[in-house]
Amino acid sequence: MKAKWREQSKQGKVILHGMYGNSDVLPTPSPFVLKLETYLRLTKIPYEVDKVDFWGPKGKTPWISYEGEHLADSQFITEFLSRKFGKQLANKYSIKERAIGTMTRVMVEEHLYWAGVMWRFAFGGKDTFQKVLRGEKSFIQWLIFRLIAPQMRSSAWSQGVGRHNETEIKAIMLNDLRAISTVLGQNKFLLGEEPCEDDCSVFAGLASAVFSTNSPLEKELNDELSNLKEYCYRMKDLLWPDWESHMNKLKQN
């Protein structure tokens, strides 16, 4: 399979391999796939999407094929493409601002992400089968959830965040979102008036909480954290004008 993509990727486009579908509100259930496609849209790097062969090197999704090479890990990919295409978007900001962007991204991907895993696959997923009975989810979606959930909870336990209870998980999420909200302040984007690479990570990490119908922090996102909600809609409008049509196409498929 990888040999096929090696040849196809020599045609000048980045091939983005990722997990798509199985989400009612997002183009992909993976924040890292959403991060990478958002980055490709932001930088206008030519790409095409492969939704079938989504597990790549290191057993990770997303991964890319480009010029006969395969590369995994969304951050390694972003840094590789930034060098390859000369797209260092954060260079317009100061060294200190870029450091703040890096720390915010790491918090989103290495801390908030795991709290989100627990909410989705442990606490927030309790009523998944009831949604099937009400016709709000397909049986296939429920089956995938049942197959994936134990593995995700096990990974979260090994990481450490998965050892906390529901109240503690919600507190972790709220504290992280408050920190991001403080960094964002009145900025249009994370560091200022223009988006950079770290915006792709932050947007992708927040998207599930902002756009999901069962977000545990819906009240806070409409109140003290409203700048995060406005930020996500701003990123969506800028880079995903086809969000709704994209979602409809996924549902039809």
Side-chain angles (χ1 to χ4, degrees), residues 83 132 135 174 210:
R83 292 191 301 270
V132 174
L174 183 56
V210 170

Side-chain angles (χ1 to χ4, degrees), residues 166-191:
E166 184 172 349
T167 300
E168 292 165 334
I169 290 294
K170 184 174 180 179
I172 288 171
M173 297 173 73
L174 183 56
N175 287 338
D176 284 355
L177 292 185
R178 281 173 173 158
I180 301 167
S181 176
T182 299
V183 171
L184 179 63
Q186 298 302 312
N187 292 343
K188 286 181 64 177
F189 300 101
L190 182 64
L191 300 180

Side-chain angles (χ1 to χ4, degrees), residues 15 29 37 41 56 58 67 70 79 87 97 108 120 122 133 153 163 167-169 177 198 220 237 242:
I15 300 176
E37 185 164 2
R41 288 171 175 238
K58 303 181 182 180
E67 293 186 340
H70 304 312
E79 293 170 3
K87 300 286 186 177
E97 287 170 331
V108 168
R120 180 185 295 181
L133 297 179
R153 290 196 298 266
R163 298 166 190 258
T167 300
E168 292 165 334
I169 290 294
L177 292 185
D198 292 326
E220 289 83 358
D237 291 343
D242 57 341

Side-chain angles (χ1 to χ4, degrees), residues 10 19 21 43 51 54 64 101 137 149 165 188 205-206 235:
K10 293 178 181 178
M19 185 181 294
T43 55
K51 303 174 184 177
F54 49 78
I64 65 164
K137 281 186 177 292
N165 62 37
K188 286 181 64 177
L206 295 177
M235 286 286 291

Side-chain angles (χ1 to χ4, degrees), residues 192-225:
E193 290 298 302
E194 297 182 46
C196 66
E197 295 88 347
D198 292 326
D199 280 287
C200 302
S201 301
V202 173
F203 166 69
L206 295 177
S208 182
V210 170
F211 299 120
S212 292
T213 54
N214 68 333
S215 171
L217 300 173
E218 183 177 2
K219 178 179 178 295
E220 289 83 358
L221 286 165
N222 286 321
D223 187 15
E224 63 171 299
L225 303 175

Side-chain angles (χ1 to χ4, degrees), residues 236-253:
K236 175 173 167 281
D237 291 343
L238 176 67
L239 299 169
W240 287 87
D242 57 341
W243 184 280
E244 277 71 26
S245 62
H246 192 84
M247 291 296 303
N248 290 334
K249 189 181 297 184
L250 286 173
K251 288 177 181 178
Q252 290 170 3
N253 292 337

